[in-house]
Amino acid sequence: MSGVSNPGTSEQAVRELAASVARDRYAPRAAEWDARRIAFPHEERRYLGSLGFLGISLPEEYGGSGRPLADSLIVIEELARHCRPAAFQVFEANTGPAQVVNLLGTERQKRALLPKVVSGEATIAVAISEPDAGSAATDMTTRATYADGAYTLRGTKRWISNGGEADHYLVYCRLSDEPGAKGLGALLVEADRDGVGFGEPERLMGFRGIPSADVIFDDVVVPEENLLMGAGGFRTLFTAFSIERLGNTTMSLAIGQEALDRTLDYVQQRRQFGKPLIEFQSIQLTVADMTLQVEAARLLLKRAVDTAGGGLPNPLEVSLAKCTANEMAKRVTDLAMQVHGGNGYTEEYGIERLHRDAHGWALAGGTPTMQRIRIVSELLGRGFDQRG
């Protein structure tokens, strides 16, 4: 199967390739990986790399294809419809921490890390949240102290997707005594450095196949060339994080679209009281509401991506898209479960798995509540102190 590295490959061809891989290779295995909480296999990650999916929106000089961000979102959407763990690999490489390294890292960091990410040889996870710093990210206490050409890192990170699985961590930490965001920056930390440890794997409602665990840094010595962003660069880091939120939005969109498509098939085939479910007006109204919500999320995502072009997206448009898509996925999968009746509550039809994962993506990358606060801040051009 050919990949997407050819710059002449059309957007539609990218979508068709991703859809076929999702449908033929991963759909038959996704339910088992979910039920048994099996992490996405390394050989499958390398397979995605061989297709060019892991570097589709990373520069050619590091092994990528240099295609628009929109193309990586297409791949994420098609894979996520059937297998979120597969889509997550593309998400992390093209919209997650690897993309942050591409945008903000040094040339040395890019050459050391990005080719390995593109091939599927290595992964990078982002470590932001802490036991006492989730939505209030600037309360983080993980600290790196500089001396003699190296940083000594100490602290604990929580809710780390790919925690214990990733080869490298992009660690947001406190680099100076300046209060709040002014003292925050980021280091790249290899998973095999002395002092790096991991908590027990989380047993989450959804997100199965995407490991999650605490990452513990116990006086980890990190060379100064691993500094990605110095103290005071937190806002720049979070501007780049807007790209990850577009990936998150796409995950939610894929879940909602798949739930809608499965429902459309079901209501035309399932018969009650002597006729197909779609003949009942209440079902028609429900399907129409599901469609309205999915299409609204799709259009908001498209606007945010189109406005960004080849640069960083507009934070307001990202928050509008993410909040809408996250809540859409929860509502649409819930409606799908209702329309499927008892069948929707079984694992056989896959609706309950979509619903569980919908809640996970609404929590990740900034909850809908925090996105609403961000929306008002961007509209008014001012921040709000949530501590009062």
Side-chain angles (χ1 to χ4, degrees):
M1 183 178 288
S2 60
V4 297
S5 57
N6 186 337
T9 305
S10 69
E11 185 178 284
Q12 183 58 32
V14 170
R15 184 178 295 278
E16 290 174 357
L17 174 60
S20 68
V21 170
R23 181 182 60 251
D24 300 335
R25 191 177 184 97
Y26 295 129
R29 307 163 74 183
E32 180 188 2
W33 287 342
D34 177 85
R36 296 175 58 191
R37 300 178 185 269
I38 296 174
F40 191 72
H42 291 185
E43 62 269 21
E44 291 300 329
R45 188 177 73 217
R46 289 189 286 271
Y47 175 74
L48 293 175
S50 73
L51 295 177
F53 286 167
L54 301 183
I56 188 170
S57 295
L58 292 173
E60 293 179 81
E61 56 262 43
Y62 309 117
S65 301
R67 297 177 67 96
L69 177 64
D71 286 4
S72 63
L73 298 181
I74 286 171
V75 175
I76 291 169
E77 180 184 355
E78 293 301 330
L79 292 177
R81 289 180 61 148
H82 297 286
C83 182
R84 267 69 69 195
F88 183 74
Q89 311 305 313
V90 184
F91 169 95
E92 288 284 79
N94 292 279
T95 69
Q99 188 65 256
V100 175
V101 172
N102 174 48
L103 293 171
L104 304 177
T106 65
E107 186 62 26
R108 178 174 181 170
Q109 291 165 357
K110 295 177 193 179
R111 294 201 176 279
L113 294 177
L114 294 185
K116 294 179 181 179
V117 170
V118 169
S119 69
E121 179 184 344
T123 57
I124 309 173
V126 63
I128 302 176
S129 295
E130 298 181 4
D132 296 313
S135 294
T138 55
D139 284 353
M140 69 178 68
T141 58
T142 296
R143 178 179 291 273
T145 305
Y146 181 78
D148 300 324
Y151 292 89
T152 301
L153 181 66
R154 188 174 187 83
T156 298
K157 294 294 183 178
R158 179 154 294 172
W159 310 124
I160 309 307
S161 296
N162 251 10
E165 180 76 11
D167 304 284
H168 305 267
Y169 294 89
L170 175 58
V171 183
Y172 288 48
C173 57
R174 196 160 291 285
L175 290 166
S176 80
D177 293 328
E178 289 288 313
K182 294 179 181 179
L184 300 179
L187 288 167
L188 287 162
V189 183
E190 297 86 352
D192 58 0
R193 283 196 173 275
D194 289 343
V196 177
F198 306 98
E200 289 295 315
E202 302 285 356
R203 295 184 64 82
L204 304 179
M205 170 181 167
F207 270 41
R208 300 172 184 182
I210 303 173
S212 178
D214 285 3
V215 183
I216 303 158
F217 303 101
D218 186 6
D219 290 336
V220 180
V221 177
V222 183
E224 60 184 341
E225 58 262 30
N226 284 28
L227 179 70
L228 184 128
M229 179 62 64
F234 186 73
R235 290 188 184 278
T236 302
L237 286 166
F238 254 77
T239 299
F241 194 70
S242 290
I243 293 179
E244 177 155 329
R245 286 178 170 153
L246 290 180
N248 180 301
T249 302
T250 304
M251 288 283 201
S252 289
L253 174 62
I255 289 170
Q257 185 69 65
E258 183 64 19
L260 172 60
D261 288 351
R262 292 189 186 199
T263 300
L264 286 169
D265 288 341
Y266 186 79
V267 298
Q268 293 177 82
Q269 297 172 17
R270 176 72 169 174
R271 297 178 67 87
Q272 290 288 285
F273 301 102
K275 59 183 180 180
L277 287 180
I278 194 61
E279 298 295 333
F280 295 95
Q281 188 179 65
S282 62
I283 297 296
Q284 295 166 19
L285 296 176
T286 299
V287 170
D289 283 344
M290 293 168 71
T291 305
L292 285 165
Q293 292 174 44
V294 170
E295 289 305 309
R298 184 176 295 281
L299 289 171
L300 283 171
L301 173 61
K302 184 178 187 303
R303 184 178 73 170
V305 173
D306 289 348
T307 302
L312 294 173
N314 179 290
L316 172 60
E317 293 182 357
V318 171
S319 289
L320 287 168
K322 183 182 186 298
C323 187
T324 299
N326 288 164
E327 297 197 331
M328 173 278 293
K330 291 192 294 182
R331 287 195 298 266
V332 167
T333 54
D334 186 60
L335 289 171
M337 194 177 298
Q338 292 182 48
V339 171
H340 280 71
N343 287 331
Y345 200 59
T346 70
E347 294 181 356
E348 178 183 355
Y349 283 75
I351 301 299
E352 60 83 32
R353 178 156 49 96
L354 290 167
H355 189 60
R356 287 190 283 106
D357 283 351
H359 280 269
W361 287 106
L363 292 170
T367 66
T369 298
M370 295 308 297
Q371 296 312 303
R372 284 180 165 85
I373 293 169
R374 182 71 180 263
I375 286 166
V376 177
S377 293
E378 293 294 334
L379 283 172
L380 299 180
R382 52 164 293 196
F384 294 92
D385 186 357
Q386 303 297 319
R387 304 177 193 281

